[in-house]
Amino acid sequence: MPSKKLTPEKLMQHLENHDIQFEGPIPPRKWPDRYAPLFQVIRKIWAIRYDEYIKRTDIEQKTVHRQRRRVRAIISKTAKFRRNIGSLEETWRDSAEKIVAEVFDEEAICCNCGNEVREAEYKAYPFYKKEKEALELKYDQRRPCTCLYPNQSVIRVDDDGDDEQGEAIFQSAIGHEVSHDPEDNLDSSRIPMKPDRVFGLSSTAKVRSVVDGCLMTLVHRPIKSDDMLYPFLVIEAKREINAPGFRAIEAQTAFPIRRFLRIQEDLRVSCERKLDPLVWFFAYRGDEWRLYAAINDGGTSRIFHLWLGIVESEDGALQLLQIADFIWTWARNVYRPQIRRCLASLPNFYERSPTLENRNILSPPERPRSPSQSPESEFLTSVIEENSGEIAEYEPIEEAEEYDHLGLQDASSHSFLRWALCRDLSKSWALNSSIRHSDIIMFSFRVFEVPDTGANLTGLGSLFGDNQSAQATILDLRDLAKGNPPAFVLKRGDIPQIEKSWTGTRGRSSYEPSIKNYDEGVRALFFFRSSCQPNDWQLKREMYCILWSPAAAETFRNRFYTNVELNFGESGFQLTTVAEIMKSFQKLRCLSGKHSVACALQCTSLILQPPQDLFQDAEGFHWCTPLEGGIPIPVITRLSSLFNLPPGGMVQLRQYQSNSLLQVLPDEQIYFNPLRALQVGNNFGQIEAIMAIKPDFWPNECPRFCLFIFVDHDFDNEGRLRILLHDTIRARKFLAVRGHNVQDKPSWSADDEKTLQDWRDYFSEENMLKG
């Protein structure tokens, strides 16, 4: 009678025939670029040491205590099993695995205050730039729960438009069978398809309605007898004694992992949305755990070994918990929103358009075997275009970006960025040091449309934290409506062109999709702010645009019974040309070196003023300080807050933002002399670098010190950076950040001196770049 069990040799042959590759612990330089940032976080976690972690003061002590409690729980349980050599697989699963699984069942948001019950120490980000920027904004807006007794009921809800309170967003399945891919014809192959535990997305009410009404033949639920959607994490356990090795565990779980990857890939191909298929995999024997990450590379499933640890040790248990927390935050903030956007973009029975009635959309998509686009993919593009009104809330497919403006180039992948967060967590000084270049800048263009109805104007005040700020800001808008300072007359269709001239991209602007009448006259106030991001020292140049429509002017006229003369037509004021605006922007784009850093550290604000004489040439457009332009700094601060207001209730806010990380090249730097108002960098003298000190009111996660480099050539050189660091510390070339309303003088301690000394000493060693 033939054996019912598949032999190891036969199973390995199946893996080879179906292009499943276990890559092993390959070095980071061989990681795929799109996934390297995620993998690098795991590598950082691997360097954590428990004794150093519990002494850290840069994170919430509540978080430290929580991790210590969980570590003790794991070690206590594994110690008991250690004394029982014959412990079974099920016994081990009741130890560390149970605590790891609880991460995906814990509440995320407090039902009392609506804030975060817990925050992952390592945040996950999507690969795509615009999604990353949007998520960074969400992270910044989230606040920790401070309730004395956090909610006991579970509300696992994220803030990407999902309001399913009371429904868990993740679920698990234990010992359930996974279906084979019908194309593989492996139902009778006896290949193992029952992983011990699988985590995926819950079939919540909203998602279920989208999935059940989907007109595409896609597999959303690959686990038999379970309604789990799109699994993303697999756990496979084996007992410690007389059990197969990790190679056997890998082979046993390979086909379920491949199945989960392929349904993600099918969804990505069908909707042509931003999704990078990824499945995490924990394998363990006794107290030894390993983490893998599986990706789809063309037709090949590649599985990378990223971490191993002994959870009976404090270091290993802490690392395991940190990794589980990171996978949780990735699943919540990156993976789940991407899956939901993909599902929402598919043609749906409940929102079917008549144009779909005679379409053959029931055949499954053909998986890509070559770079060419399949006919099904072309058809889906046309379906999405025809139904663009139904899915307008989702981002359009990002076009290729070009930076062809004189002297600017894309810096999103610049090699120098590796110095910004060079974190060897085994070194005490690593979390408090950063190196940035003066000419690598995050350019941002932001638009705020003044409310054009009485209801929206009333609702605007409700979005502020206090009534006093709301009233002051609305009165500021009223004064702007009176023409103080004067604004520019533009056509609404000019704004996207101006936006792209600042951010340097030819892709679709963030504002363009909202335009209904390109020829409508609007008034625009432009003001500029330069600063450092308070979480990582990244230099920022933000251009703000406040737009008044004729309807908005009429709303303010009726509300305040005041004379609002905005002159939206060409009569009464010469229509501003886009070229004049963009030329004035050039003077700020070209700032470099010490002027760039000085403006950011002093939080410089400027206002664009039109010429006072209608017969002046374009040079009449000039930048001035807020006081010179008749606007006090507190007003600028309040106006800036309009661009960060969260949507609430029935208030319809119209806010838009686009960002580009660009490098100002030497040719651009000499094209214009720095503006008189921006020549504060002259106070630095003839220096090539300066050390900035973090103010005490910045977040703890931000490094204490940042070395800003001014030289414009050969700056990405370890030897030269070593010299600049040593010279800057020795000469005490230090400068503090200056807040808009804070006269801050950072405190100084012996620990700061030791940090600088250790940083300088270690930087001269050859292992600075390792990791």
Side-chain angles (χ1 to χ4, degrees), residues 139 227 262 284 308 325 359 367 404 413 498 555 570:
Y139 282 145
D227 65 350
R262 297 192 76 175
Y284 70 95
L308 65 85
D325 287 344
R359 302 274 186 160
R367 294 192 181 97
D404 63 351
S413 301
I498 294 173
T555 296
E570 296 187 25

Side-chain angles (χ1 to χ4, degrees), residues 254-267:
F255 275 88
I257 291 173
R258 175 176 177 268
R259 178 64 162 146
F260 301 153
L261 277 176
R262 297 192 76 175
I263 67 168
Q264 293 180 28
E265 178 66 15
D266 287 346
L267 178 64

